[in-house]
Amino acid sequence: MLSVVVLISGTGSNLLALLKAIESPLVPVRVLAVGSDSAAPGLAHADLYGIPTFVVEPHRFPDRESWAKRLQETIEGFKPDLVALAGFMKILPPSFIRRFSPNLINIHPSLLPLFPGAHAVRDTLAAGATETGATIHIVDEGVDTGPVIAQKTVAVMPGDDINTLHERIKNQERQLLIDTIIGVAEKRIDLAKV
Ligand code: GAR
């Protein structure tokens, strides 16, 4: 059984898809807890499934290091095998990343290394790209630079705006996230060797 802590910052549609996908007892994945840097609406999905949630807000700490230390300690309390960033929008310091990587994965709405950062979909449209996609990768100390585990391509359609394009990308991301976590649980994916 692979135990996972998921971190989110927003609506948590990727989290919800994961929770639905692992509902069957035949799937060897368990979400131990869901955390956030704010009172994110997506935490309600965890509540619905009876999964513990926690919020560690950066503004309550004197600096990023002490915030991340508390976040790290909170996660460690659950003893997860894997930490999944599913729309977690804060940059984590190297100390946090060294503690969990390579068992620390992130989803990103572009074909990395193209369009890293917090505004990938907006930047894709601004660049006039005709194709983009979704990436799942191991988190390293850079911003969206870690080893790629899997990617899926999504066409940019004429008339797409940030919302329409992001929604089509999210449809692919959700499957990538589920496939990757189940792949790790079933030992088809070895994160130490990506
Ligand atoms: C997802 O598209 C995810 O890739 C993105 O936030 C969205 C969260 O959606 N993450 C990043 O941009 C990280 N740089 P959700 O809250 O509906 O799952």
Side-chain angles (χ1 to χ4, degrees):
M1 183 71 77
L2 184 85
S3 60
V4 186
V5 167
V6 181
L7 298 184
I8 64 167
S9 295
T11 55
S13 69
N14 280 279
L15 166 69
L16 180 60
L18 176 66
L19 294 175
K20 281 185 184 156
I22 65 171
E23 253 173 333
S24 158
L26 297 176
V27 180
V29 177
R30 187 166 157 230
V31 174
L32 299 176
V34 178
S36 182
D37 56 305
S38 63
L43 292 173
H45 302 312
D47 293 340
L48 204 69
Y49 278 79
I51 294 168
T53 62
F54 58 90
V55 175
V56 185
E57 294 172 304
H59 70 84
R60 297 190 187 279
F61 295 83
D63 52 40
R64 201 161 66 106
E65 281 296 331
S66 47
W67 164 71
K69 188 162 180 283
R70 176 69 62 82
L71 186 65
Q72 176 181 324
E73 289 166 352
T74 309
I75 295 168
E76 283 171 344
F78 291 98
K79 297 186 170 42
D81 300 314
L82 179 73
V83 179
L85 309 182
F88 187 70
M89 301 305 283
K90 287 282 182 295
I91 293 176
L92 293 158
S95 55
F96 181 100
I97 289 159
R98 278 196 295 269
R99 167 63 183 82
F100 294 110
S101 194
N103 300 307
L104 176 62
I105 61 172
N106 180 46
I107 48 174
H108 185 78
S110 77
L111 292 175
L112 289 172
L114 296 175
F115 308 114
H119 304 287
V121 182
R122 183 194 73 188
D123 296 345
T124 300
L125 287 169
T130 53
E131 134 177 321
T132 182
T135 300
I136 185 150
H137 67 97
I138 293 175
V139 180
D140 71 2
E141 293 182 23
V143 176
D144 301 325
T145 53
V148 170
I149 302 165
Q151 292 184 307
K152 277 193 180 169
T153 300
V154 174
V156 180
M157 304 300 228
D160 258 341
D161 59 23
I162 293 179
N163 290 336
T164 58
L165 181 56
H166 200 171
E167 197 45 48
R168 286 207 312 290
I169 294 171
K170 281 191 188 186
N171 280 329
Q172 301 301 324
E173 299 189 309
R174 291 171 193 136
Q175 203 50 54
L176 280 185
L177 180 69
I178 292 163
D179 290 349
T180 299
I181 290 179
I182 294 178
V184 173
E186 293 179 344
K187 302 200 187 322
R188 285 179 283 105
I189 297 173
D190 181 351
L191 293 174
K193 291 193 182 146
V194 171

